[in-house]
Amino acid sequence: MTQYKIPVIPGDGIGPEIIAEGRKVLDAAGEVYGFDAEWVEYPHGAEHYLETGELLSEDTLKELSGYDAIYLGSIGDPRIPPGVLEQGILLTARFYFDQYINLRPVKLLKGVNTPLKDKGPDDIDFVVVRENTEDLYIGVGGRASAGRSKGTAEIVRNLYHVKFDLDIETDSSEIAYQIGLISRSGTERVIRYAFELAMGRGKELASVDKANVMADIYGFWREVFTSVADDYPDVKTDFNFVDAICMWFVKNPEWFDVVVTPNMFGDIITDLGAMIQGGLGLAPGGNINPDGVSMFEPIHGSAPKHRGLNKVNPIATIWAGAMLIEELGERDAANAILGAIEENLADGKVLTYDLGGHSSTSDVGDDIARRLRHS
Ligand code: IPM
Ligand code: MG
């Protein structure tokens, strides 16, 4: 029997409840498909930070480097200022492990209602490939007051190092700035991944940018996209401004098959994607480094107000678990988990409140695990 050691970070808020259901379903998949998951639990998150001051230390990151995939619940806690945990844990892991692809399926499963009138599962079935290490997320920014001031910032990536020396002079009382950066190598690799994905699907790839306004950064994105596209003459491509693609996601989601986007716009359009596929409770994501440590999570947050109530929908997390096991090579098990999720939804009897049901988080996990065992 194949053994997988999988580190799991349940995290904050509803994280532990949804991760418990994800583990339950992956354990059931292991029984059916002949693998055994050994879970290695990590306490990182708000509580651990308040007790020890550790977000995600170099030592922990080194330890996690020994695995292929991490299973993450959710991070964020009202006792801690916004951004501290998100940057110190989630973004730190994404950058440290160079998880340059954020893969977010937008698929309306049968039995789920979309807020889009007259659209169904045949219309809403695409994948967003979000760049996950660059753009406005590099964390270079600051404030300056009237007069002259200096600042430095450094970005350390596997692909490159960049140092900014900023010499700022202003007569404004105070300014704030945030710098976005994309590199040729960082852009090329994610766009290439998206083309490869498109080759295995509908051979259509839509690119997202805002090259009409931020011409330097996203004009460069287009240039790199165009040069990679030369290697894939069979893939039909187009460029979309981010504001326009929001409109098309709502009006004509059937146009899309694979969408590739810079980091910031990818963050925004995948929340929209989650809504058209039936809500945040149904939207999974994978932070992927094809040659390194990947990390799988629901795209929603820690929903502190629902914590401990056994109420929220665990399906996004269970689906993220399916993506995890697929990354480890268990494609049949992953498909079977998605199949069991679809059966649960189509049956419509064991649903959480967000889908109009009255069942609990653990009821839904039980139902999906049961269906998997009988598949
Ligand atoms: C996401 C989240 C994160 C992001 C936050 C929590 C840092 O919104 O995964 O989409 O902006 O990437
Ligand atoms: Mg987001």
Side-chain angles (χ1 to χ4, degrees):
M1 185 176 299
T2 321
Q3 291 274 342
Y4 298 112
K5 253 189 168 179
I6 306 172
V8 51
I9 309 176
D12 305 319
I14 57 169
E17 298 158 52
I18 52 180
I19 277 287
E21 301 316 306
R23 282 173 54 163
K24 185 186 282 176
V25 172
L26 284 176
D27 286 339
E31 285 168 29
V32 181
Y33 289 88
F35 62 85
D36 187 47
E38 185 190 326
W39 303 100
V40 187
E41 194 140 350
Y42 283 80
H44 297 78
E47 214 56 58
H48 182 74
Y49 173 61
L50 291 171
E51 275 166 28
T52 66
E54 185 201 355
L55 288 161
L56 203 50
S57 65
E58 189 70 27
D59 282 350
T60 306
L61 288 162
K62 284 218 175 87
E63 204 180 298
L64 289 168
S65 304
Y67 301 97
D68 293 327
I70 302 167
Y71 200 20
L72 176 71
S74 51
I75 296 293
D77 186 288
R79 292 170 295 175
I80 297 165
V84 174
L85 297 168
E86 291 88 337
Q87 285 173 27
I89 297 178
L90 187 58
L91 298 185
T92 295
R94 286 179 183 171
F95 297 164
Y96 184 88
F97 298 118
D98 205 19
Q99 294 160 342
Y100 62 89
I101 298 146
N102 193 327
L103 192 66
R104 297 187 161 180
V106 178
K107 183 175 166 67
L108 179 65
L109 302 179
K110 286 196 199 78
V112 178
N113 286 321
T114 173
L116 303 187
K117 189 170 169 291
D118 301 332
K119 300 291 176 188
D122 290 342
D123 303 306
I124 302 170
D125 184 3
F126 59 94
V127 183
V128 177
V129 178
R130 168 186 173 192
E131 199 290 321
N132 212 27
T133 61
E134 301 192 321
D135 200 23
L136 283 162
Y137 274 69
I138 58 171
V140 176
R143 292 190 188 197
S145 302
R148 191 154 178 202
S149 55
K150 287 186 188 294
T152 64
E154 232 177 318
I155 309 157
V156 182
R157 292 284 183 277
N158 288 9
L159 292 174
Y160 53 81
H161 290 188
V162 183
K163 188 161 164 264
F164 287 96
D165 269 317
L166 299 161
D167 188 348
I168 305 161
E169 211 178 323
T170 178
D171 61 1
S172 167
S173 62
E174 194 173 13
I175 61 164
Y177 58 92
Q178 194 85 42
I179 293 176
L181 169 154
I182 66 173
S183 66
R184 184 174 292 278
S185 48
T187 304
E188 201 183 303
R189 63 182 182 176
V190 69
I191 290 176
R192 196 167 286 286
Y193 181 94
F195 269 104
E196 289 292 333
L197 192 63
M199 286 298 287
R201 291 180 50 110
K203 297 197 170 61
E204 287 185 12
L205 179 60
S207 171
V208 182
D209 64 58
K210 188 74 186 175
N212 50 345
V213 176
M214 287 170 267
D216 290 296
I217 185 164
Y218 302 124
F220 186 63
W221 171 276
R222 281 193 179 206
E223 193 182 306
V224 175
F225 184 97
T226 305
S227 77
V228 177
D230 285 345
D231 294 340
Y232 299 90
D234 295 340
V235 178
K236 194 171 147 247
T237 62
D238 62 1
F239 291 116
N240 300 263
F241 296 133
V242 61
D243 46 352
I245 210 166
C246 289
M247 179 175 74
W248 300 128
F249 273 13
V250 172
K251 191 164 185 297
N252 296 106
E254 67 280 3
W255 285 355
F256 299 100
D257 180 41
V258 181
V259 177
V260 66
T261 169
N263 204 349
M264 181 78 255
F265 301 146
D267 177 45
I268 299 165
I269 68 173
T270 53
D271 268 25
L272 177 57
M275 278 301 133
I276 69 175
Q277 75 187 110
L280 278 170
L282 296 167
N287 303 276
I288 297 174
N289 178 338
D291 308 308
V293 185
S294 298
M295 183 168 76
F296 297 84
E297 51 168 345
I299 84 164
H300 62 68
S302 60
K305 70 174 181 199
H306 296 314
R307 173 178 174 220
L309 302 177
N310 196 18
K311 174 180 177 191
V312 298
N313 194 340
I315 289 182
T317 309
I318 295 171
W319 191 346
M323 293 172 74
L324 182 153
I325 211 73
E326 180 165 4
E327 183 71 15
L328 296 180
E330 301 286 346
R331 169 160 293 198
D332 292 344
N335 289 337
I337 294 174
L338 196 57
I341 292 173
E342 287 192 278
E343 272 185 32
N344 159 273
L345 292 167
D347 178 55
K349 292 198 190 75
V350 184
L351 303 175
T352 44
Y353 79 99
D354 55 308
L355 299 178
H358 304 283
S359 301
S360 67
T361 308
S362 49
D363 287 340
V364 172
D366 286 342
D367 188 62
I368 293 170
R370 181 182 63 78
R371 289 174 186 280
L372 196 54
R373 288 199 180 91
H374 294 117
S375 62

Coordinates of all heavy atoms in Angstrom, one line a residue, residues 94 104 130 137 266-268 270-271 299, ligand 2:
R94 N 3.6 30.4 0.1 CA 3.6 30.5 -1.3 C 4.9 30.9 -1.9 O 5.3 30.3 -2.9 CB 2.5 31.5 -1.8 CG 1.1 31.0 -1.6 CD 0.0 32.0 -2.0 NE -1.3 31.6 -1.7 CZ -2.4 32.4 -1.9 NH1 -2.2 33.7 -2.2 NH2 -3.6 31.9 -1.6
R104 N -7.3 27.4 -9.9 CA -8.6 27.6 -9.3 C -9.7 27.2 -10.3 O -10.1 28.0 -11.2 CB -8.8 29.0 -8.8 CG -7.8 29.3 -7.7 CD -8.0 30.6 -7.0 NE -7.3 30.6 -5.7 CZ -7.3 31.6 -4.8 NH1 -8.0 32.7 -5.1 NH2 -6.7 31.5 -3.7
R130 N -3.7 31.4 -11.9 CA -3.3 32.7 -11.3 C -1.8 32.6 -11.0 O -1.4 31.7 -10.3 CB -4.2 32.9 -10.0 CG -3.7 34.1 -9.2 CD -4.5 34.2 -7.9 NE -3.9 35.2 -7.0 CZ -4.2 35.3 -5.7 NH1 -5.2 34.5 -5.2 NH2 -3.7 36.2 -5.0
Y137 N 1.9 41.7 -5.3 CA 2.0 40.9 -4.1 C 3.4 40.8 -3.5 O 3.7 40.1 -2.5 CB 1.5 39.4 -4.3 CG 0.0 39.3 -4.1 CD1 -0.9 39.9 -5.0 CD2 -0.5 38.6 -3.0 CE1 -2.3 39.8 -4.8 CE2 -1.9 38.5 -2.8 CZ -2.8 39.1 -3.7 OH -4.1 39.0 -3.5
G266 N -6.0 38.0 -10.5 CA -6.4 36.6 -10.2 C -7.1 36.5 -8.9 O -8.1 35.7 -8.7
D267 N -6.6 37.2 -7.9 CA -7.3 37.2 -6.6 C -8.7 37.6 -6.7 O -9.6 37.0 -6.2 CB -6.5 38.1 -5.6 CG -7.2 38.2 -4.3 OD1 -7.5 37.1 -3.7 OD2 -7.3 39.3 -3.8
I268 N -8.9 38.7 -7.5 CA -10.2 39.3 -7.6 C -11.2 38.5 -8.4 O -12.3 38.1 -8.0 CB -10.1 40.7 -8.2 CG1 -9.2 41.6 -7.2 CG2 -11.5 41.4 -8.4 CD1 -8.7 42.9 -7.8
T270 N -11.2 35.4 -9.1 CA -11.5 34.0 -8.6 C -12.6 34.1 -7.5 O -13.2 33.1 -7.2 CB -10.3 33.2 -8.1 OG1 -9.5 34.0 -7.2 CG2 -9.4 32.8 -9.4
D271 N -12.7 35.2 -6.8 CA -13.9 35.4 -5.9 C -15.1 35.5 -6.7 O -16.2 34.9 -6.4 CB -13.7 36.6 -5.0 CG -13.1 36.2 -3.6 OD1 -12.3 35.2 -3.6 OD2 -13.3 36.9 -2.6
I299 N -10.6 28.4 -1.2 CA -10.2 29.8 -1.4 C -10.8 30.7 -0.4 O -10.4 31.9 -0.3 CB -10.3 30.2 -2.9 CG1 -11.7 30.7 -3.2 CG2 -9.9 29.1 -3.9 CD1 -11.8 31.5 -4.5
Ligands
MG2 MG -8.6 36.0 -2.6

